[in-house]
Amino acid sequence: RLYHKQANQRRDFHFKLAQKLCQKYAVICLESLSMKAMQQSHGKKVNDYGFAAFENILEYVGRQMGTKIIKVDKFYPSSQLCHDCGYQNKEVKDICVHEWTCPSCGIRHDRDRNAARNILSEGLRLLTA
């Protein structure tokens, strides 16, 4: 019973969050990640958080509310590209690197924020293509 209660709470939270995001944004860009690969590196907790379920719920709610959900390919080097000049830094492939400075333009990047900007740019490019 406890498991079902937790699952229902998580599902309710996912629906409420998806509705809030779809009301706020007309376009949402996501990186299509391999859940199996994430499970191998991060363990079973990836399934417990329900990332894949949330992605499905977001697509469902997005269709109902008219929000475009764009998926960027998992092989797109989002964290390696400088969002300012486009330089690809192959040394950033290691996920232990959280911050890096672009050798081309000198801008300091937070890995996650830089990847988010690049995913948004690529998603918008895919939308217009």
Side-chain angles (χ1 to χ4, degrees):
R1 281 193 134 173
L2 185 60
Y3 171 78
H4 287 294
K5 181 180 178 182
Q6 287 175 338
N8 287 337
Q9 287 175 330
R10 186 181 316 108
R11 185 172 168 82
D12 181 58
F13 173 74
H14 285 167
F15 266 101
K16 287 178 180 174
L17 179 60
Q19 286 176 336
K20 193 180 290 187
L21 290 172
C22 289
Q23 285 172 349
K24 190 172 182 177
Y25 301 106
V27 177
I28 298 174
C29 302
L30 303 171
E31 187 174 18
S32 59
L33 297 172
S34 170
M35 290 300 139
K36 281 193 174 191
M38 285 181 66
Q39 188 177 11
Q40 288 174 350
S41 62
H42 298 291
K44 189 177 181 254
K45 64 184 172 191
V46 171
N47 287 347
D48 292 342
Y49 295 144
F51 291 136
F54 176 69
E55 195 174 307
N56 292 335
I57 290 170
L58 185 63
E59 288 177 356
Y60 173 76
V61 172
R63 275 193 305 273
Q64 287 187 329
M65 298 180 84
T67 301
K68 300 263 187 219
I69 308 295
I70 310 296
K71 288 188 176 180
V72 175
D73 188 63
K74 62 185 169 188
F75 296 111
Y76 178 71
S78 59
S79 59
Q80 298 173 29
L81 293 175
C82 173
H83 73 271
D84 199 48
C85 69
Y87 177 81
Q88 184 172 358
N89 188 352
K90 301 246 186 208
E91 296 172 13
V92 186
K93 257 187 175 176
D94 182 13
I95 61 171
C96 295
V97 177
H98 297 291
E99 290 185 354
W100 60 281
T101 303
C102 178
S104 178
C105 65
I107 291 181
R108 186 144 181 85
H109 295 293
D110 174 79
R111 178 192 186 91
D112 296 331
R113 289 185 187 273
N114 181 54
R117 285 180 168 175
N118 287 329
I119 289 169
L120 175 63
S121 298
E122 179 67 7
L124 294 175
R125 187 191 69 78
L126 292 171
L127 181 65
T128 58

